[in-house]
Amino acid sequence: MPDASAPSPKKPLMELPETPRVLPFLVFLLFMLVPSTVFPGAEYWLYAAKTVAGAGVLWWLRDRLPEMKWAVSWEAIVVGVVIAVVWLGLPPIKVPWELFSKAKEAKPPEVWNPVAYFAGNPILGWGFYALRTLGRSLVVPALEEVFYRGFVYRYVVSPNFTEVPLNRWHAGAFALTTAMFGLAHGDLWVQGILCGAAYQWLVLRKARLGDAMLAHAITNLIISIYVVVTGQWQFS
């Protein structure tokens, strides 16, 4: 007879429920760790590569992400527009620990502007920006909502996160997930926290990720259009 006290065999990594929710985000993040100075213009090629890679991994794992379904609601549209206005209207604020560092006068990062960088080849420049717009409006909303609100929030509630309903309220999970999302946006951490809180509210209200994905996509699309119309590439 089998020994009932024996530990159950561990599942292979690719069969764990965490894997399809973390891997796309991790792949996207790994490209960000590559120095943008490896060759001239590397930041543009790297963004294109991580967009294609992130989309590819999401597509590969789509059957294991039942919560990754787009949804339309008036709440999602309103939240997406309001957050875009907030994002564009609030000034950047140094993250708290930088306020006390000696690097306050550090050289600001170069503005991401492929149209200016590839001025001699406008097709390439606008192609990079079109891909960035598609990436931040379709790929980023899906992989970030799946990771932060589909995985992190529910995992804080319980390690058996797939059993946690998406509309389960948990103050600690809400605070941690919102803070993580905000601080991941550097000097735009205040906007990020407000953004994360609004998207999490949508998930809790609708008990699904699709509305947050749509709101996230609308926010990023509005910002992308605003950059082109106004020429304020610091928001790109």
Side-chain angles (χ1 to χ4, degrees), residues 53-112:
V57 176
L58 282 175
W59 181 259
W60 172 43
L61 298 172
R62 67 191 184 283
D63 292 337
R64 297 183 56 197
L65 294 169
E67 68 270 36
M68 191 181 68
K69 296 179 180 178
W70 295 85
V72 178
S73 65
W74 68 265
E75 295 99 324
I77 295 171
V78 170
V79 167
V81 173
V82 169
I83 291 299
V85 173
V86 170
W87 196 276
L88 294 168
L90 289 179
I93 300 174
K94 287 288 184 182
V95 287
W97 52 84
E98 287 188 1
L99 296 175
F100 304 99
S101 73
K102 296 180 180 180
K104 288 188 290 185
E105 303 300 326
K107 180 183 177 182
E110 296 294 331
V111 173
W112 199 94

Side-chain angles (χ1 to χ4, degrees), residues 135-159:
R136 74 197 308 196
S137 301
L138 295 176
V139 180
V140 170
L143 67 83
E144 287 194 348
E145 296 309 314
V146 164
F147 175 73
Y148 284 106
R149 278 157 276 283
F151 169 64
V152 175
Y153 182 97
R154 293 193 294 168
Y155 192 86
V156 173
V157 177
S158 169

Side-chain angles (χ1 to χ4, degrees), residues 88-233:
L88 294 168
L90 289 179
I93 300 174
K94 287 288 184 182
V95 287
W97 52 84
E98 287 188 1
L99 296 175
F100 304 99
S101 73
K102 296 180 180 180
K104 288 188 290 185
E105 303 300 326
K107 180 183 177 182
E110 296 294 331
V111 173
W112 199 94
N113 186 347
V115 176
Y117 188 87
F118 296 100
N121 191 344
I123 293 178
L124 186 60
W126 284 109
F128 275 122
Y129 193 68
L131 185 58
R132 183 179 180 91
T133 300
L134 288 173
R136 74 197 308 196
S137 301
L138 295 176
V139 180
V140 170
L143 67 83
E144 287 194 348
E145 296 309 314
V146 164
F147 175 73
Y148 284 106
R149 278 157 276 283
F151 169 64
V152 175
Y153 182 97
R154 293 193 294 168
Y155 192 86
V156 173
V157 177
S158 169
N160 296 319
F161 69 96
T162 56
E163 303 299 320
V164 178
L166 286 165
N167 62 347
R168 167 79 178 274
W169 164 252
H170 188 284
F174 187 94
L176 178 63
T177 307
T178 301
M180 286 177 60
F181 189 81
L183 294 175
H185 290 83
D187 289 352
L188 298 176
W189 62 279
V190 173
Q191 292 92 322
I193 286 175
L194 295 174
C195 184
Y199 297 161
Q200 188 68 62
W201 173 81
L202 277 172
V203 175
L204 292 169
R205 178 176 174 81
K206 294 293 188 177
R208 60 192 184 192
L209 291 185
D211 304 81
M213 289 164 56
L214 178 64
H216 200 153
I218 289 171
T219 296
N220 288 355
L221 180 60
I222 290 174
I223 293 171
S224 296
I225 294 172
Y226 179 85
V227 167
V228 173
V229 172
T230 66
Q232 297 192 49
W233 287 88

Side-chain angles (χ1 to χ4, degrees), residues 1-9:
M1 295 180 63
D3 185 358
S5 64
S8 57

Side-chain angles (χ1 to χ4, degrees), residues 3-54:
D3 185 358
S5 64
S8 57
K10 292 184 177 180
K11 290 184 177 181
L13 180 62
M14 291 307 298
E15 293 184 13
L16 295 174
E18 292 88 344
T19 300
R21 294 161 177 89
V22 175
L23 187 59
F25 184 84
L26 183 61
V27 167
F28 211 70
L29 184 64
L30 288 175
F31 278 94
M32 296 173 65
L33 299 178
V34 180
S36 61
T37 56
V38 291
F39 60 85
E43 61 267 38
Y44 307 110
W45 293 101
L46 286 171
Y47 194 93
K50 74 178 182 180
T51 297
V52 173

